Amino acid sequence: MSTTASSKLLVAVAISLIVGILIGYGIGYFTISPQQPSPTTTTQTPTEKVTLTVIGPWAGAEMKAFQQVLNKFMEEYPNIRVEYRIYRAEDLASILPPQFEAGMAPGDVIFMWGWWIKEYGDKGYLMDLSGLVNPDEYIKGIFDPVKSGNKIYGLPFTAWAKPGFWYRKSFFQQHNLSVPKTWDEFLQLLDKIKQIPGIKAPIVTGDSVGWPISDVVEHFIITFGGPDMQLKLIKGEIKFNDPRVKQIFQNYIIPLIKKGYFSPPIEWTKAVEEWWSGKYALYFMGTWITGMVDDPNDLGFFPLPGCKGVVMGTDYLFVPKFTKHPQEAKLLAKWLATEGQRVHVGTHAGKFATWLKVSIKDHWAPMRMVYQKIKTMTPLPDLDDSIGGEWQKLFWDQLKLLWVDPDKLDDVLNTLTVNFPSK
C-alpha cells in the first residue's frame, strides 16, 4: 500500500474511532449487556511471583493516576509485581528498533503510537493479541490502526481530547474577564489580560519536543479553515503553502505572536505551574491538564469562537515477543484494556474510556463536564500524529522556529510543503 493510501486509511480509521468515542457514551452502554460472555482467550493467574515492566509516557500527576491503575492490578494479582518506567513515544521510536534487532525489549507491556504498533507487528516483533479481548465491546473501528489481517498487535487504553484554551475561573472572576464569543472579543480579552499587573503574557506556550505548539496551530486551522481543511492537510490534498492555509497564519496566528500575546515556548509541565500561579491566563492543552492542577473545580475552557471541531485520540499498548513472561504480560495487557480503563477514568487522569462496559458515571466528574461541552463538535484526528515519521519532527521544529521568528512564515510553510511525505 502506498504512503498516500496508508495515510487516507489512517485518517478514515481515526475519524471512525473518535466519532465512536463521542457517541459511544450515548449508545454503547445501553447496547452491551454486562452478562454477555466475551469470546476471549483465558489468561491464567500465575502461581509463582514474577515482575513485569510497563513503559508509558506519563510523568508527574499523570504517572500518579496511572500508578493507581497498576496498584489495583497488583491488588487483584498479588503474584505479579509491576514496575513502571517513563519513555515518550518519540524516544521509543529510536530505542526499540535496535533492541528488537538484538532480540531484546526494555519492557513487557509498552505504550506506543497505533501506526507504529501495526508496522512493527508486521515485522514480527510483537505478540498477536487477537482473541485476548472482545472487539465488539469497544468503540467501533478502534482496533483498525493496530490490526493487520486477522492479527491484532495492540490493545486500546483510554482516550483524550484537545478542546481549547484552559483558564482559572477564579482568575477570570477576580479580573472581571469573560469567555469570548467572537474573534474580536477574543482579541479584546487578550489585550485586557496583557494589562493585568504581574502577567507575563496572556497565553503560555508549552514546549517539549514540539507537540504543544502544533496543537495550538491545529486549533486555529480547524477554526478558520474548518474541519475539512484539517483532514485535507493530513491527506496531502491541501499543501501548507496553499494561500488558504497561509492566510490563517498571516491573519490570526502571526499577529498574536508579534503582539506578545503568546509567551516564548516553556517546558510544558513548568508552563502548567506558571499558568496556574497567575503568570499567564490561558493555556491550550489536552484534557489531561484536569489532573495536573490543585483544584479542577476552578478550571474552565473555551475553544476559539466559531470552532466546530476537536482533536481526539487514544493510547495503545503492545506486548513485545521478547518478553520473558508472555502469559503474565498478556494478562496485564488484557486487564489494562478492560477493567484498568474503569480504574483510570475514575482517577484524575483526564481521560475517556474506550471500553464500552465503562459507564460515563464511572468517569471523574470534571471529565463528565468536558464531555458535555464537546459532544456536539466534530471529532478530528491529530494532524502530526496521523502523518507521523520524520515529517512530524520537522513540523514541530518549524513551528518552534515560527514562534521565535514569525517573519520566517514563508520559509516555514515551504519547508513543510517540500518535505511532506509522498508516495
Side-chain angles (χ1 to χ4, degrees):
M1 184 180 292
S2 71
T3 303
T4 301
S6 298
S7 178
K8 290 180 179 178
L9 176 59
L10 285 173
V11 172
V13 164
I15 293 171
S16 174
L17 81 87
I18 55 187
V19 167
I21 288 171
L22 284 179
I23 65 174
Y25 301 117
I27 61 174
Y29 306 120
F30 300 100
T31 59
I32 294 180
S33 168
Q35 285 74 42
Q36 290 177 336
S38 300
T40 57
T41 302
T42 301
T43 46
Q44 296 181 341
T45 302
T47 55
E48 297 182 1
K49 288 191 175 183
V50 300
T51 298
L52 299 178
T53 298
V54 173
I55 293 179
W58 306 292
E62 290 184 292
M63 180 182 69
K64 290 179 181 177
F66 185 61
Q67 188 62 53
Q68 291 181 54
V69 179
L70 298 181
N71 290 345
K72 182 64 176 176
F73 174 80
M74 288 187 282
E75 180 183 318
E76 294 188 13
Y77 299 95
N79 278 352
I80 302 179
R81 172 181 167 79
V82 183
E83 296 179 347
Y84 176 66
R85 294 179 185 171
I86 306 169
Y87 284 99
R88 297 197 63 83
E90 298 87 350
D91 301 321
L92 288 173
S94 300
I95 295 171
L96 291 178
Q99 290 222 7
F100 287 170
E101 287 288 340
M104 303 166 57
D108 302 286
V109 174
I110 301 174
F111 285 84
M112 195 51 173
W113 298 306
W115 63 266
W116 191 97
I117 290 174
K118 181 178 180 179
E119 179 178 331
Y120 280 81
D122 282 338
K123 290 182 178 179
Y125 295 124
L126 314 186
M127 294 190 71
D128 178 9
L129 303 181
S130 57
L132 206 57
V133 298
N134 182 358
D136 292 339
E137 296 175 352
Y138 290 79
I139 300 298
K140 185 177 181 181
I142 202 166
F143 285 89
D144 291 353
V146 291
K147 187 176 180 182
S148 182
N150 295 323
K151 295 183 177 180
I152 294 176
Y153 293 114
L155 300 181
F157 192 49
T158 51
W160 41 259
K162 300 172 180 176
F165 292 91
W166 297 86
Y167 63 93
R168 293 192 68 170
K169 295 176 183 176
S170 58
F171 183 91
F172 267 43
Q173 291 169 356
Q174 179 184 354
H175 298 287
N176 195 29
L177 304 174
S178 301
V179 171
K181 297 178 180 178
T182 65
W183 174 250
D184 286 342
E185 287 185 7
F186 181 64
L187 295 178
Q188 292 165 14
L189 172 66
L190 297 180
D191 191 56
K192 192 172 182 179
I193 292 171
K194 196 173 183 181
Q195 309 308 317
I196 296 174
I199 282 287
K200 290 186 173 181
I203 307 170
V204 66
T205 303
D207 188 23
S208 61
V209 292
W211 59 265
I213 298 179
S214 69
D215 289 346
V216 174
V217 169
E218 288 180 48
H219 189 64
F220 275 77
I221 289 172
I222 294 167
T223 300
F224 298 106
D228 194 50
M229 179 177 283
Q230 171 92 345
L231 297 176
K232 288 185 175 178
L233 281 169
I234 294 172
K235 296 175 185 176
E237 295 176 358
I238 294 179
K239 307 299 182 185
F240 272 84
N241 59 4
D242 185 291
R244 292 168 292 178
V245 179
K246 184 177 178 180
Q247 67 91 20
I248 293 174
F249 283 87
Q250 277 185 324
N251 296 344
Y252 301 101
I253 298 174
I254 298 299
L256 299 191
I257 297 174
K258 289 189 172 181
K259 288 184 178 180
Y261 289 151
F262 283 109
S263 78
I266 300 171
E267 194 281 326
W268 78 277
T269 58
K270 180 67 174 177
V272 174
E273 297 175 9
E274 298 204 352
W275 159 71
W276 191 254
S277 70
K279 295 178 181 176
Y280 306 92
L282 304 173
Y283 193 11
F284 190 94
M285 188 48 59
T287 50
W288 53 85
I289 199 172
T290 54
M292 300 178 69
V293 298
D294 293 335
D295 181 9
N297 293 321
D298 193 28
L299 271 178
F301 77 88
F302 63 86
L304 282 172
C307 185
K308 304 295 185 185
V310 57
V311 171
M312 297 187 72
T314 192
D315 295 305
Y316 291 96
L317 60 88
F318 70 89
V319 177
K321 65 180 294 185
F322 307 108
T323 175
K324 296 179 181 177
H325 307 288
Q327 293 307 313
E328 291 83 359
K330 287 181 10 180
L331 175 64
L332 174 57
K334 175 182 178 179
W335 190 88
L336 288 171
T338 53
E339 291 300 331
Q341 289 202 36
R342 194 189 310 279
V343 179
H344 199 222
V345 300
T347 69
H348 296 186
K351 300 293 180 66
F352 297 110
T354 60
W355 187 46
L356 295 179
K357 287 193 173 183
V358 179
S359 165
I360 192 65
K361 295 179 180 177
D362 291 326
H363 290 64
W364 185 37
M367 290 305 294
R368 289 179 233 154
M369 177 274 291
V370 173
Y371 168 70
Q372 290 300 325
K373 294 187 71 170
I374 69 173
K375 66 180 182 180
T376 60
M377 302 177 77
T378 301
L380 294 162
D382 187 283
L383 188 149
D384 52 285
D385 282 351
S386 298
I387 298 170
E390 292 301 315
W391 189 90
Q392 183 177 37
K393 298 175 184 175
L394 180 71
F395 187 49
W396 295 336
D397 290 342
Q398 289 296 304
L399 293 181
K400 285 199 285 188
L401 170 62
L402 191 68
W403 241 246
V404 298
D405 191 352
D407 290 331
K408 296 280 190 183
L409 177 61
D410 285 336
D411 292 340
V412 166
L413 296 181
N414 287 331
T415 299
L416 294 175
T417 299
V418 170
N419 291 280
F420 195 87
S422 58
K423 293 181 180 180

